[in-house]
Amino acid sequence: MESSACLLKGKVYEAMDNRALAVDSFTAALRQDVYCYEAFELLVHHHMLSAEEEKQLLDSLPFSSQCPEDEIELLRFVYSMKLKKVSDLRSLKSAARIIER
C-alpha cells in the first residue's frame, strides 16, 4: 500500500503545481509497485519527463523482482508503447517482435 500513498502524494503535489515532487512521488510509487499504472500514466500524460528520463525510468523499474517471468516482457512493452517520446527505432522493432509472438 506504500505505492498508493506515494501516488496520492504525487497527486497532491501536482495539484499544488510542484511538479518536481510530483515526479518523485509517482516514480516512487512505480518502483514500489510496477503495476501502479496510474502513476506511470500521470507521468507520461502530463509530460513530466524528458525522453531520456522516461527511458531511465523504464530501465530502472524492478520488473524482474515484482512480476512473474512471463509478464516482464509484456509489461515493459506496454509501458514502452505508452511513451510518447520514442527516441530510437530499435525500440519499435523490439516491440514489433513481441507483438508477433
Side-chain angles (χ1 to χ4, degrees):
M1 289 299 134
E2 287 182 40
S3 64
S4 297
C6 288
L7 177 64
L8 184 57
K9 271 177 42 177
K11 288 180 176 184
V12 170
Y13 286 134
E14 185 178 16
M16 296 169 53
D17 287 327
N18 191 333
R19 290 176 65 87
L21 288 177
V23 167
D24 290 345
S25 295
F26 293 144
T27 301
L30 273 169
R31 288 199 174 114
Q32 291 170 9
D33 180 7
V34 295
Y35 293 100
C36 187
Y37 182 78
E38 188 174 357
F40 180 81
E41 179 68 21
L42 287 166
L43 285 167
V44 173
H45 182 71
H46 294 270
H47 307 284
M48 294 184 162
L49 303 173
S50 68
E52 184 61 31
E53 290 168 330
E54 287 179 346
K55 183 182 179 326
Q56 288 172 356
L57 174 63
L58 194 60
D59 291 342
S60 72
L61 293 178
F63 294 109
S64 60
S65 64
Q66 294 183 19
C67 300
E69 194 170 319
D70 60 333
E71 289 182 13
I72 294 171
E73 209 172 337
L74 177 62
L75 192 56
R76 283 186 67 85
F77 168 72
V78 168
Y79 282 177
S80 66
M81 290 290 79
K82 289 295 290 182
L83 298 179
K84 292 181 174 88
K85 302 170 189 124
V86 177
S87 59
D88 77 51
L89 186 58
R90 288 178 299 196
S91 298
L92 291 175
K93 288 180 181 178
S94 176
R97 282 192 298 261
I98 292 170
I99 291 172
E100 291 171 356
R101 291 185 194 168

